[in-house]
Amino acid sequence: MIPGARIVILGRQGAGKGTQCVRLSRHYVVPHISTGDMLRGAVREGTDLGRTAKEIMDSGGLVGDEVMIGIVDERLQRADARTRGYILDGFPRTVVQANALDEVAGDKPLDIVIDLFVAREVVIRRISARRVCRDCGTNYTATGTERYPWICEVCGGDVMQRDDDTPEAVNRRLDLYEEQTAPLIDYYEGQGRLIVVDGVGDPEDPIVDRLGH
Ligand code: ADP
């Protein structure tokens, strides 16, 4: 039986967390819980949460801690996360959220926290080329040489740039990352759970090998 795991992944916007999370979640057979995806789902469905979050997200701000803690707490209570574990992507993003996660996790603490490290200049370049299919969520990196850059190769849907990938919103998100999220690196290092992984290099290079678990 494959052991589960409770993992948090940190890293700047555009560091490649989404791609690595898909691999980690397959390897450990745990759900990939992305708060960004959950919020975008709520926006698409037009729920109260979605309406509140949309404006904040488009401007590159952070949704309030209390709201985020409530959503994640509820998700972690579901059977898959309770029994096998999870990989959390996009949460915690502030020290308040990290404290709340420690409390929610209780006697099942995190196994590891991965810091997928990529320098700011590099992620700015990556994000400006980032595209996503609106229908199936496939991610693309624009090269400028595609024949049909705005049509999804997987499902034929519309390929677009995320609403919050404008240069202003990206810079705001990166500033907030340094202010609010980077302190979590020390927080988890202090708990002895942090593993730093270089996010520049071959994305095919399996992250699980680099973790040595
Ligand atoms: P990125 O890491 O590129 O900013 P995400 O998909 O992780 O994108 O999140 C998109 C947006 O959703 C964030 O910019 C923020 O507005 C909101 N969000 C996601 N997770 C959180 C969180 N834990 N706390 C506050 N806001 C969040």
Side-chain angles (χ1 to χ4, degrees), residues 13 35-36 39-40 61 63 68 90 93 97 130 162 173:
Q13 288 72 10
T35 46
L39 292 171
R40 280 184 288 275
V63 176
M68 295 310 303
R93 247 186 173 81
Q97 293 180 11
R130 180 155 84 172
R162 267 169 49 174
R173 270 147 66 215

Side-chain angles (χ1 to χ4, degrees), residues 20-211:
Q20 297 303 342
C21 283
V22 172
R23 298 213 170 100
L24 287 163
S25 102
R26 284 200 192 125
H27 178 81
Y28 292 105
V29 197
V30 292
H32 169 205
I33 302 177
S34 153
T35 46
D37 286 349
M38 288 163 91
L39 292 171
R40 280 184 288 275
V43 170
R44 266 198 307 277
E45 284 161 22
T47 62
D48 286 348
L49 168 68
R51 276 193 293 277
T52 318
K54 166 98 177 121
E55 210 176 306
I56 301 174
M57 290 167 77
D58 286 353
S59 71
L62 287 179
V63 176
D65 285 332
E66 212 174 306
V67 172
M68 295 310 303
I69 291 164
I71 299 173
V72 171
D73 185 9
E74 197 178 300
R75 180 63 188 85
L76 296 187
Q77 303 303 331
R78 299 230 306 253
D80 55 351
R82 269 212 328 265
T83 50
R84 295 216 34 90
Y86 45 82
I87 162 128
L88 260 180
D89 165 14
F91 186 97
R93 247 186 173 81
T94 64
V95 172
V96 173
Q97 293 180 11
N99 280 318
L101 179 60
D102 282 345
E103 242 172 70
V104 168
D107 60 352
K108 288 185 169 178
L110 295 171
D111 294 306
I112 46 171
V113 176
I114 299 166
D115 175 24
L116 190 60
F117 181 82
V118 180
R120 184 165 174 143
E121 314 81 76
V122 177
V123 296
I124 290 178
R125 257 180 276 136
R126 282 189 188 173
I127 296 174
S128 61
R130 180 155 84 172
R131 306 284 184 270
V132 61
C133 171
R134 184 161 50 194
D135 299 320
C136 72
T138 299
N139 291 307
Y140 293 96
T141 304
T143 57
T145 59
E146 299 86 352
R147 222 164 140 202
Y148 302 109
W150 305 107
I151 299 173
C152 178
E153 283 169 18
V154 177
C155 76
D158 290 334
V159 170
M160 51 177 283
Q161 217 169 359
R162 267 169 49 174
D163 289 342
D164 58 353
D165 276 352
T166 60
E168 300 74 28
V170 167
N171 272 304
R172 173 136 191 248
R173 270 147 66 215
L174 287 168
D175 287 346
L176 278 173
Y177 184 83
E178 310 305 334
E179 278 164 33
Q180 309 269 351
T181 311
L184 298 182
I185 292 167
D186 285 345
Y187 179 95
Y188 287 121
E189 187 154 44
Q191 291 187 351
R193 302 189 205 284
L194 189 77
I195 298 178
V196 181
V197 172
D198 185 357
V200 181
D202 183 1
E204 296 303 321
D205 187 8
I207 193 168
V208 285
D209 290 353
R210 288 185 268 167
L211 296 180

